[in-house]
Amino acid sequence: MKSPLDCAALDAAMENVHRAGMPGLFAEVRDGDQIWRGAAGVADVVTGRPVNADMRHRVGSITKTFTAAAVLQQVECGRIGLDTPIGRYLPKLVPGERGDAITVRMLINHTSGLAEYLPYAYPSLKAFPDLADTGPQSLDDHRFTRFEAAELIEMGVTAPAFGPPGGVPGLYSNTNYLLLGELLERVTGTTAERYITENVIERAGLRNTELPTGPYVDGPYSQLYEAWFGMIDPPRDYSVFDMSWVVQAGSLISTVTDLNRFYGLLLAGEIVSPSSLAQMQRTVPVISQEGKTIDYGLGLHPMEGPGQGTFWGHGGTVWGGGALAMIRADGKRQMAVAVNMQRWNRLDSSGRPQPHPIDDALATLYRVAMYG
């Protein structure tokens, strides 16, 4: 039987992203039983070591789907109520009226109104989202900093609120998911990392996925090159970094194969129940970290091409790296793509990121992977 995957088009699309300026990228695309895996470019710009599709990678906010699934498992057990105020579980972390008004659901779908803590944890990012007045200095300062989740949560909770609890559009905020990590610890009696590892990662049979405890990536991996909108030139390697700054919101290490396996099982109802999956796919408008309004569910968001089917999944970035994993609603077509540079867009005179050839090349790759 002829493969429904256009392998030549996928190879060409990958190579075009590399030629557009991405040091290295790798991916896996599945259509039923057909699997294409590919890589282009280098994992190390100094030595020229090539990337390959087996590499382990920091996948950023894709972690949020894993955390949301863990919370929904506890909802199914009756230990957590989706529409129960978070103040009932964590009164010290979200005290007073907001603790009574913000529900667990609002944390998972980013409608809590809580601010993002990152500009407070990283002083050189304090002007965010005014990118022109930010700088990368804090990234070096905090490469080995061990943050406490409660400390970061306090920064987000005490910062000026984005809006009222339940208001839309919501604001994509890592503060929400650090609170979900604390909630998991409160109701399970173990650490969030251990619960997610045993009940999501191991349940899905993921052999190369982990929530790291230190700053290093074990096994074969790529360097991660951060450009911070042209302010780091040439881009600097941040592959060694303590991920306590984002824990259950974005610290996961995985592979493109594991990500496809995870989302395949999730949409098949094997990680959470079909009714929980239906809750995950109920979306609200949320303002992303890029300032765009997106549809967001409970740890999932949809992508849809003109006249094409809906895909569900998540993207993620860390300092220097990124990934995107999506699966068609019928579960038959999947893609997971990993890249080893971030924030390649330089700023124009008004401080807005300028278009870059990498943007169009990646959009083409995603289109070929999902619909080609």
Side-chain angles (χ1 to χ4, degrees), residues 315-331:
T317 66
V318 294
W319 310 132
L324 177 66
M326 304 298 294
I327 178 170
R328 199 165 63 197
D330 65 8

Side-chain angles (χ1 to χ4, degrees), residues 92-293:
K92 292 182 180 178
L93 291 177
V94 192
E97 292 183 4
R98 277 204 293 182
D100 293 335
I102 295 171
T103 66
V104 173
R105 185 191 302 273
M106 293 173 195
L107 295 175
I108 311 177
N109 69 11
H110 296 294
T111 59
S112 70
L114 293 173
E116 171 62 61
Y117 61 77
L118 273 179
Y120 303 92
Y122 286 75
S124 67
L125 307 186
K126 190 165 187 178
F128 186 86
D130 184 359
L131 298 174
D133 290 332
T134 65
Q137 300 86 352
S138 298
L139 278 60
D140 292 303
D141 296 341
H142 288 309
R143 188 185 286 265
F144 295 104
T145 299
R146 195 72 185 161
F147 286 105
E148 294 295 329
E151 169 190 11
L152 297 172
I153 289 168
E154 184 179 11
M155 293 176 188
V157 171
T158 57
F162 172 75
V168 290
L171 177 72
Y172 188 95
S173 170
N174 287 305
T175 306
N176 294 318
Y177 274 72
L178 264 60
L179 277 163
L180 293 172
E182 295 298 300
L183 172 62
L184 280 171
E185 186 166 329
R186 163 78 173 75
V187 301
T188 65
T190 187
T191 65
E193 290 83 355
R194 179 176 295 177
Y195 181 84
I196 294 169
T197 298
E198 293 177 353
N199 295 278
V200 180
I201 295 171
E202 292 177 358
R203 180 171 177 171
L206 309 183
R207 298 182 178 181
N208 290 294
T209 299
E210 66 171 329
L211 292 163
T213 56
Y216 300 95
V217 179
D218 295 327
Y221 70 95
S222 172
Q223 314 306 114
L224 301 178
Y225 297 103
E226 179 60 53
W228 197 259
F229 307 104
M231 297 180 206
I232 308 177
D233 190 13
R236 191 174 304 142
D237 173 24
Y238 286 105
S239 55
V240 175
F241 211 98
D242 190 300
M243 298 301 291
S244 59
W245 63 276
V246 76
V247 282
Q248 299 87 18
S251 69
L252 198 74
I253 293 169
S254 191
T255 64
V256 289
T257 297
D258 271 7
L259 291 178
N260 277 337
R261 177 176 174 82
F262 168 70
Y263 281 103
L265 292 170
L266 180 68
L267 258 71
E270 296 186 35
I271 306 297
V272 300
S273 70
S275 61
S276 291
L277 179 62
Q279 293 281 354
M280 295 180 81
Q281 294 174 313
R282 287 176 53 188
T283 64
V284 292
V286 168
I287 298 174
S288 72
Q289 288 181 322
E290 293 75 33
K292 299 175 182 176
T293 301

Side-chain angles (χ1 to χ4, degrees), residues 300-355:
L300 284 176
H301 71 82
M303 287 177 64
E304 191 167 354
Q308 305 285 353
T310 301
F311 279 69
W312 292 92
H314 215 291
T317 66
V318 294
W319 310 132
L324 177 66
M326 304 298 294
I327 178 170
R328 199 165 63 197
D330 65 8
K332 292 181 179 178
R333 184 78 173 230
Q334 293 183 257
M335 75 158 189
V337 179
V339 298
N340 68 0
M341 184 171 71
Q342 279 302 312
R343 286 158 283 272
W344 50 79
N345 306 82
R346 292 177 179 267
L347 304 179
D348 62 19
S349 58
S350 64
R352 290 176 298 205
Q354 295 177 297

